[in-house]
Amino acid sequence: MLKVEHIGIAVKNMESANSLFSKLFNKQPYKLEKVESEGVATSFFQMGETKIELLEAESEDSAIAKFIEKKGEGIHHIAYEVENIESEMKRLETEGFQLINKSPKKGADNKLVCFLHPKSTNGVLIELCQEIKN
């Protein structure tokens, strides 16, 4: 793992959350994006080398909607940048970590992503992400 790539924060309302975090960070988000496969809208703020990703549910059955219903708004996951997501997934699975998805999938912000189940990471949802190279 190379660095913390971003911290994901689940929000109920993207418009009000963007307004709040824009005031907090004294800057506007650099990207708004919908990830249809996950049923979420995202917003990204660049904070030095790390990003903050706001996540709003686009459907009631999305993981973010279920998270907010169960735990309320707040930190949803921590994402780590990796050089080779497939080899890192194999390494972590060999080490006993439980992968939520067995192969990388396209995520927001031009990334391939994979999640580790919080049951195997002391209750923290971990995302691995690798920049998609064109």
Side-chain angles (χ1 to χ4, degrees):
M1 295 190 198
L2 304 173
K3 67 176 184 176
V4 172
E5 208 280 334
H6 69 265
I7 298 168
I9 300 174
V11 301
K12 289 181 183 177
N13 181 286
M14 185 65 76
E15 187 176 327
S16 63
N18 270 332
S19 177
L20 176 104
F21 282 92
S22 291
K23 290 175 191 172
L24 177 67
F25 300 145
N26 197 30
K27 62 172 71 176
Q28 295 297 311
Y30 73 86
K31 181 184 242 183
L32 303 173
E33 181 179 354
K34 292 186 190 250
V35 183
E36 301 295 335
S37 64
E38 298 299 312
V40 298
T42 65
S43 175
F44 286 90
F45 291 85
Q46 186 73 47
M47 305 299 297
E49 282 195 20
T50 305
K51 300 169 192 159
I52 301 298
E53 176 189 32
L54 305 181
L55 301 130
E56 176 191 48
E58 290 278 290
S59 65
E60 292 181 16
D61 62 340
S62 75
I64 294 300
K66 292 173 186 173
F67 177 88
I68 289 174
E69 184 179 309
K70 188 175 182 181
K71 297 184 178 185
E73 294 180 292
I75 294 177
H76 178 259
H77 67 271
I78 300 174
Y80 295 93
E81 181 180 332
V82 297
E83 197 166 315
N84 183 318
I85 195 166
E86 290 180 0
S87 66
E88 191 66 5
M89 288 170 66
K90 288 177 190 166
R91 181 188 77 79
L92 291 168
E93 195 167 35
T94 300
E95 292 288 346
F97 293 94
Q98 183 182 349
L99 304 178
I100 291 177
N101 43 304
K102 296 296 181 189
S103 60
K105 56 186 175 177
K106 186 168 181 346
D109 205 28
N110 196 42
K111 302 283 189 287
L112 289 175
V113 301
C114 171
F115 288 90
L116 304 180
H117 200 288
K119 289 180 182 175
S120 66
T121 56
N122 283 359
V124 179
L125 180 61
I126 301 291
E127 178 183 4
L128 306 176
C129 57
Q130 174 188 322
E131 187 83 23
I132 296 172
K133 296 172 177 83
N134 295 329

